[in-house]
Amino acid sequence: MKALRLASTLAAALVAVSVAAPSARAESGNAILEIKLKATGLPFEIDQDGDFKVLVNWEQDKRSQLVYVSPEVDEFSGMPHYTAFAPAALLNGDVTLDSARMRSLLEKNANYKVGGWMVAGNALYFGAKLSTDVSPEQLRKLLAALAEEADNLEMELTPGKDAL
């Protein structure tokens, strides 16, 4: 089952942080990330915002999930990272989050080793900060785990649909 693999996949993919100079990381982040994404074997394209739009497929389930990776290198306490996020739902008249659902998502956040639920604009995402030192194999596993978590909630919130 997809959900059971999430915790072990995310925990196994934690990596050390980069020690490269911030300006060097900023200049090379996009090219390095593109090389790593190509090595994952996952199909991707660059969207109008400059983010990498990655498609994770589950042939057996006949489902897919988009995951976006920003090539911008951000830092937190000197630790450089990329931001990756997978949309689970567009919050509109058809899909809303009541206080009980929001509380449930926040409680789940406390148990994730990497990543968490967030709302930005009118969308609900599962996202994570990924070390710039992430290997292609770790990147593939992390993106698959983000996709899996978002897709599981998408199935719950929009039964029978696979829009994201």
Side-chain angles (χ1 to χ4, degrees):
M1 177 177 201
K2 291 190 301 184
L4 296 177
R5 294 188 308 259
L6 178 65
S8 61
T9 301
L10 290 175
L14 288 175
V15 295
V17 297
S18 172
V19 294
S23 60
R25 280 194 310 271
E27 292 172 12
S28 64
N30 193 315
I32 291 171
L33 181 57
E34 186 169 359
I35 290 167
K36 289 179 182 191
L37 281 169
K38 285 180 181 175
T40 68
L42 295 170
F44 70 91
E45 61 186 49
I46 298 174
D47 72 6
Q48 68 277 7
D49 296 330
D51 293 329
F52 291 95
K53 183 177 170 183
V54 182
L55 184 64
V56 177
N57 284 299
W58 295 281
E59 300 276 332
Q60 185 175 348
D61 296 334
K62 295 185 174 129
R63 292 191 61 82
S64 63
Q65 178 66 44
L66 293 173
V67 181
Y68 296 87
V69 185
S70 172
E72 183 177 328
V73 177
D74 293 318
E75 280 196 27
F76 178 75
S77 293
M79 296 179 285
H81 61 268
Y82 301 111
T83 299
F85 48 96
L90 297 178
L91 304 175
N92 53 33
D94 296 331
V95 178
T96 60
L97 297 177
D98 61 17
S99 60
R101 170 76 68 187
M102 290 300 291
R103 180 181 177 95
S104 171
L105 294 175
L106 288 172
E107 287 172 348
K108 285 182 176 186
N109 279 353
N111 294 314
Y112 295 122
K113 303 299 182 210
V114 174
W117 290 104
M118 61 185 111
V119 173
N122 71 333
L124 173 65
Y125 298 97
F126 190 75
K129 308 301 184 189
L130 310 178
S131 169
T132 55
D133 278 347
V134 67
S135 73
E137 179 61 17
Q138 292 166 328
L139 181 59
R140 185 190 62 74
K141 288 178 181 179
L142 282 163
L143 295 179
L146 294 176
E148 183 176 311
E149 191 68 10
D151 193 58
N152 285 340
L153 188 60
E154 181 184 11
M155 285 189 291
E156 188 178 320
L157 294 174
T158 57
K161 296 182 181 177
D162 187 17
L164 305 170

